[in-house]
Amino acid sequence: MQQIDLLEENIKNNNLIHYLKAVSESGRGITFIHSKDEEDFLSYEALLHQADRSLANLHNAGVCPGDQLILQVEDNQTFLTLFWACIMGNIVPVPLTVARTAEYRLKLLKVMEVLDNPHTAFDREVYRRFTTYLGEHGRENTNAQLRHIFPEDFIDISSSAPTKTPEPEDTAYIQFSSGSTGDPKGIVLSHGNLVNNCRAFLAAKNTEADDSYLSWLPLTHDMGLIGWHLNPVVAGVSHCIIPPGAFIRNPSLWFDKVNEHKTTVTCSPNFGLSHFLKSATISPERDWDLSHVRLIVTGAEHISSTLCTSFLETMEVFGLKKNVLMPGYGLAEATLAVAVSPCGEEFTTHYLDATTLGVGSRAAEVAPDDKRCAAYVDEGVLLPGFTAKICDDNGTTLADGIVGHIFLKGSSIASGYINNAEATRKSFSRDGWLKTGDLGFISHQRLVITGRSKEIIIIGGMNFHPHDLERAIAEIREIEGRAVAVCGVYERSKSAEELVVFVSFKKDLEAFVPIIKKIKETIAENFNLSVSRVIPIITIPRTTSGKVQRVKLAKTYRNGEFNPILQKLNQLTHAKLQSIDLADIHPDKRLDELTSFICNQATALTGAAGIDPDLSLFNQGFDSLMAIELHNAIEHALSATVPVSWFRKNDSIRKFSSKLLESYSMTESYSEEIDTKQSLSLLEQLNDMDQMTEVGIRNMIEALQQSQK
């Protein structure tokens, strides 16, 4: 193929500058998508010229070769122009999520302390809020020493400084792992790391000259920047970028643009597939033709077999082939991609006995309907240039099929963490092996990930360190002096990780109810995360060295040992629920009153500051147990039977209330039952999939297929 020939021809060019200059002559480039009807095209040639202009401005601002430049800009085009200006000028770019919340401002401050007196390119409003934050936290000295730059003030000049060709071992950029706030670790990636990983990933994807890429992932994330920007540049193909916020607001935009631009290679972690299925407007009337899509790479978190199957079956009507999903495994310390399933192969699921997945145990296959079954998607084969080994707790290499710690070696492995010798020593061995912190096994030269030995919490594709969340909770006045532990617990029925908080508490449970609300509000405000459960516990378990045993807490929670406490807390909350008599309310006001009533009950159950009537319950911190509590409260209040299937996630509370009113007979007895025999389409029922078990979803799908024959 033409593209493979190009990659082979440039096999000795181990720096990024070469590839941007080579592709600048192709006429190809980047389409920056702002909305369904607004987008801008920037050729690679224009990107090269804009980067040169920005480099001249950086020099004028006192940024020199070898300096570090933190990127705090929202606009994707500005971000990439600055990124390439740094690469061309031997300046080290440091992408970071824009500091728009207190937690990300703290992370920015901590990163500045880790780096070597860096410069920072700010959006002006981000700078204003950050300096205000510094003043409020007694960091006036940091404010005074801040070396800031405003890209919006750049003038039209060109750089006169000669470009030094980087060596493969020269630092290209520093990638801070997403979510780490209190102790951020900056991964040092060289030009050789990046080029080698791009080549290997492109080869695994069978990238050809007429391919085109599209992503909605943030450029501050390694998958967005390396996988869906640098990969297309190295391959010499065009690509499209959708801002993450645009996708979240309108998930249909993803395939609107895939269809419009005839994209062949796109990507999404599991939470993106789930968000798309729940929130996008999907109907056969859409004119999407997705037959040209070759690959949808999925990774970044636990991959749900049921979710992948549901997505493929839903999208089949638009011509999307069953073999387009490419599950993969990677991590920032290995640049990006480590293993992916072979092109054109339908994804494979391993149904394993959950009791055989401890370190040193042989993973045992069981039937999918076995109650011990845990489903794990096959992550495929290692990319060219990687070697892997599975070890026990003592570092002894284990045989195929035995679960253990995953170690990696290869040309994509980073050199370590910037200015952090201790963390580097713990993760990177002197003989080149990287301790990933992940658990899994190798079977027939294919990798299966079964869990994490590290305690990093992954939600929505982002990494969150427990101590960051615990620190925020500890600042709540009512929590002062109490031990706190935060765990990520993978909920199989939801195909996602849940956030569970444990608090040392010895008083009556009734006094704990207000604390639940405070904790949920704090985490939502600072991290934009929803807490599933807040559990009082007499003592937080610790090791003999004083370390919190989060893994033990999570296991105890999964085993249901906290269920009696949770039931009592639900009863205390449920006691506050009210009743409503719709017959006594004027017909014109019934919808508003019923909507308000349901919002009040939901607020009491979640402990949230407030519930938005124009959003669905499950977008506001609700889980299936809370839904059951609310379902029971509504039935009691209305003296009517309400189908559980009506608690669908794509229904706003107002729409749900309207449906209740339409079906509720306004008689004196109030006891007429709502018809529960209304048929639901396959897609409507699949929208409720993450409240169901893997077996339940499969049974539901089979029943629906039988009923449609």
Side-chain angles (χ1 to χ4, degrees), residues 203-438:
K205 291 180 287 189
N206 290 345
T207 302
E208 302 174 3
D210 56 354
D211 271 325
S212 61
Y213 280 52
L214 182 146
S215 167
W216 51 262
L217 294 172
L219 291 172
T220 52
H221 192 284
D222 51 6
M223 180 71 102
L225 181 56
I226 302 172
W228 263 255
H229 172 65
L230 293 183
N231 263 239
V233 169
V234 171
V237 301
S238 292
H239 63 293
C240 301
I241 300 175
I242 298 174
F247 167 75
I248 296 300
R249 290 188 299 272
N250 176 21
S252 301
L253 184 64
W254 180 18
F255 282 104
D256 282 340
K257 292 302 179 178
V258 166
N259 174 71
E260 179 181 335
H261 290 277
K262 300 302 176 187
T263 299
T264 58
V265 183
T266 185
C267 61
S268 176
N270 259 209
F271 84 89
L273 300 180
S274 179
H275 178 63
F276 175 79
L277 286 177
K278 294 173 189 173
S279 305
T281 304
I282 308 172
S283 67
E285 287 73 32
R286 280 197 174 272
D287 59 355
W288 292 338
D289 176 8
L290 305 181
S291 59
H292 51 81
V293 177
R294 286 200 310 111
L295 292 174
I296 301 177
V297 179
T298 185
E301 54 188 321
H302 180 90
I303 301 172
S304 165
S305 170
T306 299
L307 180 58
C308 291
T309 299
S310 173
F311 173 79
L312 291 172
E313 290 181 349
T314 300
M315 301 303 287
E316 187 176 17
V317 67
F318 303 109
L320 191 71
K321 296 180 283 290
K322 289 288 186 69
N323 64 353
V324 300
L325 271 187
M326 175 184 268
Y329 167 69
L331 64 165
E333 286 83 354
T335 302
L336 175 64
V338 171
V340 292
S341 294
C343 274
E345 177 183 292
E346 293 190 20
F347 75 88
T348 303
T349 303
H350 297 270
Y351 299 102
L352 305 176
D353 182 344
T355 66
T356 67
L357 300 180
V359 173
S361 300
R362 178 171 294 280
E365 298 272 351
V366 295
D369 58 354
D370 192 299
K371 64 180 180 180
R372 298 166 299 167
C373 176
Y376 293 92
V377 171
D378 189 294
E379 309 273 0
V381 298
L382 294 175
L383 298 187
F386 277 105
T387 303
K389 65 179 181 179
I390 309 297
C391 297
D392 64 14
D393 292 333
N394 299 316
T396 304
T397 302
L398 300 172
D400 277 14
I402 306 295
V403 176
H405 302 275
I406 299 172
F407 287 76
L408 298 170
K409 181 185 279 189
S411 58
S412 296
I413 303 297
S415 59
Y417 303 109
I418 186 76
N419 296 333
N420 195 331
E422 182 180 356
T424 298
R425 179 182 54 80
K426 289 180 178 179
S427 295
F428 300 85
S429 70
R430 291 183 178 179
D431 57 353
W433 287 101
L434 168 67
K435 184 178 181 179
T436 66
D438 294 311

Side-chain angles (χ1 to χ4, degrees), residues 65 89 116 120 143 199 257 317 360 410 477 516 518 531-532 580 593 612:
D116 307 310
T120 305
N143 198 349
R199 286 178 180 150
K257 292 302 179 178
V317 67
R477 183 174 56 83
I516 296 175
K518 288 281 187 180
V531 175
S532 176
I580 184 172
E593 290 292 330
D612 189 337

Side-chain angles (χ1 to χ4, degrees), residues 101-103 519-529:
T101 67
E103 197 64 23
I519 290 174
K520 290 187 175 185
E521 287 176 350
T522 297
I523 296 301
E525 179 180 351
N526 286 283
F527 300 91
N528 196 28
L529 291 175

Side-chain angles (χ1 to χ4, degrees), residues 638-694:
L638 299 182
S639 298
T641 301
V642 181
V644 174
S645 61
W646 281 22
F647 284 76
R648 289 202 300 278
K649 296 185 179 180
N650 58 331
D651 281 350
S652 69
I653 298 173
R654 195 179 303 280
K655 182 177 178 181
F656 176 82
S657 301
S658 177
K659 186 181 298 183
L660 278 176
L661 284 177
E662 290 173 2
S663 301
Y664 185 85
S665 178
M666 209 59 57
T667 65
E668 292 185 359
S669 65
Y670 314 135
S671 59
E672 183 175 336
E673 292 190 352
I674 298 171
D675 181 15
T676 61
K677 299 180 180 179
Q678 298 181 19
S679 61
L680 298 174
S681 69
L682 175 60
L683 177 59
E684 286 177 315
Q685 296 202 36
L686 288 178
N687 282 337
D688 289 328
M689 65 190 171
D690 63 357
Q691 295 180 68
M692 304 172 65
T693 63
E694 296 264 348

Side-chain angles (χ1 to χ4, degrees), residues 104 178-180 455-460 462-466 468-469 527 529:
Y104 283 117
S178 60
S180 176
E455 294 178 332
I456 292 175
I457 300 166
I458 302 180
I459 296 178
M462 295 290 289
N463 297 344
F464 296 90
H465 289 245
D468 291 335
L469 305 173
F527 300 91
L529 291 175

